[in-house]
Structures are given as C-alpha cells and as structure tokens.
Amino acid sequence: MRVLGIETSCDETSVACVGPDGVASNLISSQVDLHAKFGGVVPELASRAHLTNLLPVISVALDEAGWTLDDVEAVAATSGPGLIGAVLIGLTGAKTLAWSRGIPFVGVHHIEGHILANGIDTPMEFPALALVVSGGHTETVAVRAPGAYRRIGATLDDAAGETFDKTAKLLGLPYPGGPQIQRVAVHGDPTAVPLPRGLARRDSLDFSFSGLKTAVRLAIEALGPDPAPQAIADIAASLQEAIVDTLIDKTRRALRVVDGVRGIYLAGGVAANGPLRERFAALAAEERVAFTPPRLGYCTDNAAMIAWAGRLRLLQRGGDAFDLPAFARGGLPSWADA
Ligand code: KG4
Ligand code: ZN
C-alpha cells in the first residue's frame, strides 16, 4: 500500500511517500528561521506557515517519489498531540485529500510515529522498550508489538528537550537549543558544574527535570553578564551529562521492570543527541538487547514516521472515520490486541 503521510504538529511542515519498498520521499519544510527571533515556536505563525506550505510540500514530495496523486492509496496525518492549530492544518488537509480521492485516511499519534520510526531502516525487536524524548515529552513506553503500548514512566514536570531548549536560551544560544548545547558542550568539562539528577535515589521510573532546570539557571546567573566561552561550554557539557545520566539510569531501571525486553529504542528529537546515542548503545550491549541508533532525519519531526506508522495500522486495522478529532494533549492509545 502506497501511503502519503503529513506531519504538522509543531514547526515543521513535512510530507512523505511510503510504499512497500520503504520511504520514497520525506520532505521537511522547516520554519526554524521564522520562529528563531522569538526564541521558540509561535503557534499562530506556525499554523499560518503550514497553511502556505502544505500543498507545495505535498507536490514536491510526490515528485521526489516519482508518484502522482493516482499512486496514493491512503493518507495518514498526525492527529495530535501538538499545537492544535498546527495539527488541524495537516489533519484537515489529509482528510480532504483522502475524501476527494475516495481512499482511506488514518490519524496517527505523534509519539507512536516517533517510536515506530525505529523500524523504518531495521526491523524492531519486540517486546521493546522505547525512551521517548522530545520537546514536549519524556516517557518510557513498553511496546509489546506495533500498536500495543504501556507507559511505565513519564516526566513529572519538564521534558528533556525543553530543559535543553530553555538552558540554551539562558546561555544566549539560538533555538532549537538541543543541537546547540551538544555543539558547545564538545569544548566543555561535564564535571565542571555540579548539577542534580532528578529522582535519582527514588525507586521510580518517572523523570523530573525542574530541579535541574533551576540549578542550571542559578549557575548561569552566577556567571554574571558576558560569561566567558569556556564557562558557557562547561555549563552546556554539565547539563548534557546530567540529562543523559538521568535518561540512562531510568532506562536501566525500566529494564528490570518489564519482562523479556529484546530491543531498546530512542524516539523523538533528543534521540539525535550524540552522547545519548553512545551511552544508549553501551547500555544495550551491557544488557544484551538490540539497539540501532535511529537515522537523524527520523529522530526530529518528519512525515516518514507518520506515513510508516499509519501504513502499519491501515494494513492491520484499517483507517479512521473522517470526523476523527485533532487533539493537543493525550496519552498513546493501543490499537492492537493487548
Ligand atoms: O521530536 P521533536 O523534533 O519535536 C517535538 O515533538 O517536540 O523534538 C524537538 C526537541 C527540541 O527540544 C530539540 O532541542 C531537541 O529535540 N533536540 C536535541 C538535539 N536535536 C534536537 N536535543 C539534544 N541534542 C540534539 N542533538
Ligand atoms: Zn516530535
């Protein structure tokens, strides 16, 4: 089945063509420049940009895949969670296209897209454990099979990506902050600034980054105006180390709780972080479970993951009704038998 996927949940307008041979195209029109001067995504501007970009991006994605509209057999789109206005543009576009062509439509949970993207290049091993780390989410999900999810830990306050982004902003680094922190951290000493590891001593699978965020803010304020580049690099390296330590520690604990895990996976934008990928690979080797670092283009928001996940569900369960609502927030529902 040849599926056209649409992702517009935040600041990327993305369209992908995915067929039986895999990803035929995956176009991402980034709005980073539009939002950079505001230091974060402005929801109304994002919606307007999606509206302007969607049809041209669909047509380039079809061209790159060597498809025409006649080749599209189903349409998948992110139905949430995300910025509601932004989600609505892609979801409505997908429904309209599917309805006008008389083909099935499926709404995909954004986090499910991130998780199942791990299977695009290499088949995933199930039961699996997925660490979802994006701008808005930090959670651990036990995945028995595609469509069978159980959340076993989640952040009690801020997300890992948000902690990267807010710290970068305080350091005067551009948006999005995660890649900038990683870049600057290369020159820093990760032990230079002592920072807390949230809920480290608690026997819990949940995460907390608010204490870390406050501690790093105080450390930055203590530097005074115009901090030296080395001081900025030390803070970046120490923050990155604290976040990665916490994520690895909680994943190791989760492996003790979920039986028979055969593969561990990273999902979401923060999965692009180099040190996190290296430490995750070391953990997988230590625990003798499979892990393949996801391709960078499939970590941050993209439509290939939506088309891929949508296609799996369409093949197993069929599509959704056209009155499927968009949603801003909400957990990951299972659609396969538990
Ligand atoms: O999944 P995503 O593209 O969008 C959401 O669904 O939120 O994740 C975006 C997040 C941002 O917080 C960004 O700073 C972070 O992913 N990120 C990174 C890196 N690349 C992106 N964080 C750390 N290191 C990176 N290399
Ligand atoms: Zn995302």
Side-chain angles (χ1 to χ4, degrees):
M1 179 185 267
R2 288 183 297 269
V3 179
L4 182 104
I6 299 178
E7 151 64 36
T8 60
S9 68
C10 193
D11 59 341
E12 319 279 13
T13 314
S14 183
V15 178
C17 295
V18 172
D21 299 325
V23 178
S25 66
N26 183 28
L27 257 283
I28 300 173
S29 166
S30 175
Q31 304 175 8
V32 164
D33 295 345
L34 177 67
H35 301 285
K37 56 182 171 292
F38 302 103
V41 178
V42 183
E44 186 54 28
L45 291 182
S47 307
R48 285 164 193 253
H50 286 311
L51 198 55
T52 314
N53 295 341
L54 187 58
L55 292 180
V57 178
I58 290 177
S59 103
V60 178
L62 287 170
D63 280 354
E64 275 206 7
W67 295 9
T68 68
L69 270 184
D70 288 338
D71 293 310
V72 178
E73 294 169 297
V75 188
T78 304
S79 53
L83 302 171
I84 195 71
V87 173
L88 269 168
I89 306 292
L91 188 69
T92 310
K95 287 176 180 175
T96 310
L97 185 58
W99 178 80
S100 63
R101 309 283 307 175
I103 56 178
F105 147 81
V106 68
V108 176
H109 193 288
H110 182 78
I111 298 301
E112 175 170 43
H114 274 306
I115 294 175
L116 297 183
N118 280 285
I120 297 179
D121 287 328
T122 320
M124 293 172 73
E125 298 278 348
F126 298 105
L129 199 62
L131 175 66
V132 180
V133 274
S134 69
H137 295 261
T138 300
E139 57 196 46
T140 312
V141 181
V143 187
R144 201 187 44 71
Y149 309 107
R150 185 164 56 93
R151 189 164 84 168
I152 58 170
T155 184
L156 303 178
D157 38 58
D158 301 307
E162 197 180 342
T163 311
F164 272 117
D165 292 340
K166 295 216 166 125
T167 306
K169 199 170 179 181
L170 290 175
L171 288 172
L173 299 170
Y175 174 84
Q180 298 294 331
I181 295 270
Q182 180 181 334
R183 182 179 59 79
V184 172
V186 171
H187 311 288
D189 171 4
T191 63
V193 186
L195 293 172
R197 271 63 174 157
L199 303 179
R201 283 183 297 280
R202 289 222 211 132
D203 207 18
S204 152
L205 296 179
D206 290 331
F207 304 86
S208 168
F209 292 104
S210 63
L212 172 62
K213 220 173 70 180
T214 305
V216 82
R217 178 173 56 78
L218 294 175
I220 293 168
E221 283 169 9
L223 295 176
D226 284 329
Q230 188 56 49
I232 293 180
D234 286 345
I235 296 227
S238 302
L239 173 86
Q240 180 172 254
E241 182 96 338
I243 292 177
V244 173
D245 276 355
T246 306
L247 296 175
I248 296 292
D249 174 56
K250 297 292 179 178
T251 307
R252 186 180 281 112
R253 276 173 212 232
L255 281 165
R256 306 276 169 274
V257 172
V258 184
D259 288 335
V261 170
R262 296 183 55 213
I264 58 174
Y265 297 97
L266 281 173
V270 181
N273 184 263
L276 175 61
R277 294 159 79 89
E278 282 162 26
R279 298 267 302 276
F280 218 72
L283 176 67
E286 197 183 297
E287 299 283 341
R288 297 174 194 283
V289 291
F291 167 64
T292 311
R295 195 195 285 220
L296 292 183
Y298 296 154
C299 293
T300 41
D301 291 345
N302 68 92
M305 69 184 195
I306 300 303
W308 179 265
R311 185 172 179 275
L312 281 179
R313 181 142 64 89
L314 280 159
L315 291 173
Q316 286 185 38
R317 280 287 155 106
D320 286 313
F322 284 116
D323 62 356
L324 183 86
F327 58 97
R329 260 173 263 286
L332 179 56
S334 291
W335 48 264
D337 298 329

